[in-house]
Amino acid sequence: MSRLIVVVDELNKFAPSSGRETYTVRALRDIAARGRYQGLILFGAQQFRSRVDPQIIGNCSSSAYGHILMEELANPIYSPYPPAVREKMANCQQGQVMFRHPHFAQPVFVRFPRPAVMKGEDGVKHFPPKEHTAMDRLLARLKSAANLQPRDIIAAVNEAFPIEEDRERGIMALLGKLKGEDITAISKARLHKLLQECGGARKPVTTRTSRGVDELDDPFAEPEDRNGGNG
C-alpha cells in the first residue's frame, strides 16, 4: 500500500486546543487516529505543542522537540518528563532535538549532522567572491554584441596585448573607446581596429638560435646559451 504524508506547518493554528470544531480539525483528527490504516501519515510542526488539539496529540506516536521556552515547558503537558529532561529541552542547541517514541523507555537526545552544503553567509565567508577583473568588465560590456563570442574577445585582446602587464591597461583604454560605439553591431574587424588604436603594447623580445627556432630571450641565460651553443 502506498503512503501519503500530510505535512501541516503551524499545526496549532489549524487544529487549536481551544476553539470551535471545523472541517479541518475533524479531518486532521481522522488522519491522526485512523490515517495509518489508509496509508496516511500526519506530520505536524508547531512552536507551541500545548496549543494543539488534545486528540491529535494523543494519537501521535512519535514526537521531536527542539529548543522550547520555559514558559511553554511550564504547561502541564510536559509534566511527565523529569525536571532534568525539561531543563535540557530548554537548552537544546541548534540541530539538537529530543525524540520520544513508545519503543524508547527514556527520551533520546540526538544531534543532526552538519548539512552537506553551506548556507549563503557561510559560503561567502569561507569563499569570498573574486573581484571583477578588467577582462570581466570588457566581456560584460560586449555581452550584447551579436557578432562576438567571449572566446573571440579574449583571443583578440591576448593577441593585441601578449604581455600581461600591458593587457589591463589596454582593456581599460578599449573600454573608454567603446563608449561611442554601437555595441550590438560591433564586429571582429572593428574590435581589432579599436585594439590597434589602443596600441602601445610591448612585443616579446625573441632571438634566433643556431637551430633556427624563435625563443623568448632569457635574461638569465649564459652568453654561450644565447648564441645557441659553446662554439
Side-chain angles (χ1 to χ4, degrees), residues 135-155:
M135 181 64 78
D136 294 331
R137 294 174 57 185
L138 178 62
L139 293 176
R141 184 72 177 86
L142 295 175
K143 185 178 181 180
S144 59
N147 301 319
L148 291 176
Q149 297 295 327
R151 61 176 179 271
D152 300 328
I153 301 171
I154 296 174

Side-chain angles (χ1 to χ4, degrees), residues 172-184:
M172 297 305 296
L174 177 61
L175 286 171
K177 288 184 173 294
L178 288 174
K179 292 181 179 179
E181 294 286 332
D182 181 7
I183 301 300
T184 58

Side-chain angles (χ1 to χ4, degrees), residues 37-105:
Y37 304 111
Q38 301 174 1
L40 297 175
I41 300 174
L42 178 62
F43 189 98
Q46 66 285 319
Q47 295 183 0
F48 304 101
R49 179 185 174 90
S50 61
R51 301 180 187 178
V52 179
D53 182 77
Q55 294 187 38
I56 296 178
I57 293 294
N59 284 295
C60 289
S61 59
S62 302
S63 300
Y65 303 84
H67 175 73
I68 302 177
L69 297 177
M70 294 300 297
E71 292 79 3
E72 173 69 8
L73 286 172
N75 194 281
I77 194 174
Y78 299 97
S79 58
Y81 299 111
V85 174
R86 294 200 299 269
E87 181 179 355
K88 193 168 183 179
M89 291 166 64
N91 294 283
C92 280
Q93 302 297 320
Q94 185 177 6
Q96 186 180 22
V97 295
M98 185 202 76
F99 275 106
R100 181 190 63 80
H101 190 274
H103 291 312
F104 302 145

